[in-house]
Amino acid sequence: MKNIDILELSLNSLQHRKLRSWLAILGIVIGVASVISLISISVGMNENIKSTMSGIGADVITIGSGGERAGSMGPSGFGGGPGADGRSSFGWTSSSEITFNEADNLRSVQGVSELDARVSSNAVVRYRNMNKSLSVVGVEAAAFPKSSSSTIAKGRSLGEGDTYSAVIGASVQSDTFNDTMLNKQININGVSFKVVGVLNESGASFSGPDNSVFIPQATAKRLFNQTKYVSSIVVIAASEYDPDLVADSLAIKLRSLRHVTNSTQDFTISTATTLQSTISSVSDTLAIFLGAIAGISLIVGGIGVANAMFTSVLEQTKFIGLMKSLGARNSVVMKLFVLEASMVGFTGGILGVLLSFLGSILLGAFGLPSKITLELVLLGLGFSVIVGVISGLLPAKNAASIEPVEALRYE
Amino acid sequence: MNEQYGREPENKNEPKIIMRLVDVSKIYGGTVPFKALDGVSIDIRKGELISIVGRSGSGKSTLLNLLGCLDKPTMGEVYIKGNAISKMSDDRIADLRRDELGFVFQSFNLAPTLNAKDNVELPMAIKGLAKKEREIAALKTLESVGLADKAENFPSQLSGGEKQRVAIARAISNKPCILLADEPTGNLDTKSSRAIIENLEALCRDNGITVIIVTHDQALAEEADRVIRITDGRIESDVKRKNLKKVKK
């Protein structure tokens, strides 16, 4: 029997069992849509993180105190403010803090182009009649244009001669105080500062530069009464050096300065590459977790198809007997039911893909990043057909093995 | 007169044997095994119109199933055109059913989701014939059983007699040499039964097809050239009622 004729018979069977066929298809639709949607969320998140990370710059190296601490969250893109190194909120008490002396010693490491030893703290910022608690970061004026993940949108950057000047993040102007603040006065912990520049939006998360106020390092030291320890160090690697190698050199130097070994290291040092791989591994784990959850629903859908196929075989037992009495080989009967199941899987796959596109739009509307790639579509379709075929195999094998005389007697 | 089974005809003018059962028994398993057929041997010649009669449970349908290769004997051997069924693979037996045998069932067994034409096309589709070729042949066959105008009707839109004529058209669509009919008039009224009997007779007379009918219908049984009576799984009598028609060997 020609495959096209077997296909026609399978289609005919599905058409005459519409409700059951659609219910089986629905199971696959939900399974495939879940798989694609959930994985697309992790793909979207990954893309989002990558695009945010691209703003950090590949040449940026961040050093923070503490072993496996939040300092690894990175430079100004993530850690322009005090929340980023996880320290300021809890005070300045740890003996494992990195000192300004140590920071100065790192400037001589080969491959270091700029070094920005930062002092940061949360402070009450007053503008007109509004008081807001914001992250205030003391930066080195010379290094700041490069160590900041945002460029100047209006005004200028901090200069060497500045004392009570401030550069504010985009959100400080647009959201926190909602006013044009360039050249206006702000008050930090009772000290007056002039806003000389406003940064572009970085798009980084809550603790990024968008919500921070940047002032000269020397002023910050006095303001926060912190002259010994840095909050974090942002190093810019020279363009002719590999940032990862520079980071290694910095780590070696700092370990020797602090008399610690690799295993007792009490600071973290990270580059864009290490950050990216850390985040990627987290998002990959998330993708596997979400995929596994979605996979379960696809398996449940597959069981639905198998159930529908078993019922279909039972319903068509007499027809199987007839086909065999007319000379159909076992392989033809088998193909008939496997094709029927694959069509259920394939139709479910197509509809599931369409539903996942709809779901992606909805997720986007709720602010959840999701991205459906061609690979995901193919994975969904392939998976649905495979689930259909596997679900149909056993019922089809059963159908093919029925003796014609028994099948014809079936009521 | 009973034939001597398992032997080639002595009279060379007799049609050749196309089906032979040698000492065939069929035992159904279960807690109490049941012997449905017990040492049956029959020779069936080309062009014969044979009726198999007997009480319910006598083993006549079992015999027909064995002749049609729908079932396998527990003991003994079935030969079709000289080939022993027990030595054939499942696929070869399926091919044999497709190419040499046609079936007509008491309950018609038409596929309810296919119209009359598609039902008749089904054996040809299984054989692998092209769609166009099948369509032409199916319409021609339906015409031969007087149902050309019902080609597009689904089984639910046909009367019992019409359904059985579609089933006959389907059974002969691949031009088999043996047609096996299990109580073909069992579900029909007298008028429809008459039409079916005439169809089967015509197939035998005009096309040289060997027709084997299991029946309770006395009228149908009397039309046969040869009547085999089965009692308790054994052949009670095997009587030729008319001289065998002269058909090509």
Side-chain angles (χ1 to χ4, degrees), chain A residues 5 12 324-325 327 329 405, chain B residues 65 94-95 97 103 109 113 134:
Chain A
D5 293 320
N12 182 280
K324 288 190 150 193
S325 73
R329 292 179 171 192
V405 69
Chain B
N65 289 336
D95 292 349
R97 282 198 291 263
F103 294 92
N109 281 348
T113 60
R134 287 185 340 230

Side-chain angles (χ1 to χ4, degrees), chain A residues 14 32 189:
Chain A
L14 284 175
V32 169
N189 282 1

